[in-house]
Amino acid sequence: RRSWLPALAGLAAVVAGLTSAGADVLRVGVLPTPAVAFLTATYGADLGIVLSASHNPMPDNGIKLFARGGHKLPDDIEGEIETAVGVGPSIRPTGELVGRVRDADDALERYLEHLLAAVPQRLDGVHVVVDCAHGAASVAAPELYRRAGAQVTAIAAEPDGLNINAGVGSTHLDGLIEAVRRHGADLGIAHDGDADRCLAVDRAGARVDGDQILALCALSLR
């Protein structure tokens, strides 16, 4: 059973703060950071917010912000937000002016459809081991690769809200290398906790670093 109670406590605090300032909140659930950027644009939101420790341990959780359209906020705007948080609100809405909260039940499906539309060819016959870092990719990544046609073996895909990045994921490749060799897979992919990056290993267990992955993507786009 997956439990996200430690992370959900932070989420509740952020939602409470936003609604108390009069903002309406659309909760998308536990999704990769790039999904929130995409959904911020898709839903026409004014702001996207991610609670994440990225590739770090759970106690390092922080807040990532996306501007309208899913773009990164300029540094000067982030500075103004930090100042405003320190000062506190000058006005607190009451009654009907308090923000509303609702859940986006189609968020994961929208993101998966978006990614599948970008796949240039199916992965039929390819066996992939995916290390989900006990994080935000634990549902999305295995499902995506399966829909693309791959045979998927998922590891570190049992998050409990505390074990994210704990000896697994893109900063700890030993478990992925062992799994690829044991299962005779064609490749292994390791995400970090919020799944905005990845590293890979080939069928022999040799590491494929980020520079090599970027070069492959650049050649493919060209």
Side-chain angles (χ1 to χ4, degrees):
R1 180 182 177 184
R2 295 186 176 97
S3 172
W4 289 91
L5 289 179
L8 291 178
L11 171 64
V14 170
V15 170
L18 288 166
T19 53
S20 70
D24 293 328
V25 176
L26 183 63
R27 292 184 299 202
V28 299
V30 180
L31 292 175
T33 288
V36 178
F38 166 73
L39 293 168
T40 299
T42 298
Y43 290 132
D46 297 299
L47 183 71
I49 299 179
V50 180
L51 270 67
S52 166
S54 189
H55 56 282
N56 301 303
M58 182 275 293
D60 292 341
N61 265 331
I63 298 175
K64 293 182 178 180
L65 303 176
F66 292 102
R68 177 183 283 274
H71 302 291
K72 186 180 185 299
L73 278 177
D75 290 342
D76 58 334
I77 299 298
E78 288 191 348
E80 290 181 24
I81 292 173
E82 289 182 9
T83 300
V85 169
V87 172
S90 57
I91 300 175
R92 284 198 178 276
T94 59
E96 64 181 14
L97 298 179
V98 173
R100 307 294 180 90
V101 183
R102 57 192 176 92
D103 293 312
D105 296 330
D106 64 343
L108 174 60
E109 190 62 31
R110 282 192 185 218
Y111 184 53
L112 292 176
E113 290 178 358
H114 166 67
L115 294 179
L116 284 169
V119 175
Q121 63 187 50
R122 287 185 56 79
L123 304 179
D124 299 289
V126 178
H127 184 181
V128 179
V129 177
V130 55
D131 183 339
C132 302
H134 294 309
S138 295
V139 173
E143 179 64 17
L144 173 68
Y145 299 133
R146 289 189 185 103
R147 291 192 190 186
Q151 175 187 346
V152 179
T153 299
I155 63 174
E158 299 179 353
D160 61 11
L162 299 172
N163 60 357
I164 188 169
N165 295 317
V168 293
S170 59
T171 55
H172 302 86
L173 293 180
D174 290 344
L176 178 65
I177 292 170
E178 190 277 330
V180 167
R181 291 172 174 169
R182 174 160 45 88
H183 291 283
D186 297 297
L187 78 153
I189 299 173
H191 294 287
D192 68 334
D194 69 334
D196 64 353
R197 71 187 74 192
C198 73
L199 291 179
V201 301
D202 64 19
R203 66 176 59 198
R207 300 176 186 228
V208 182
D209 70 23
D211 290 340
Q212 292 171 293
I213 294 172
L214 282 173
L216 287 171
C217 290
L219 290 171
S220 177
L221 287 171
R222 182 172 180 271

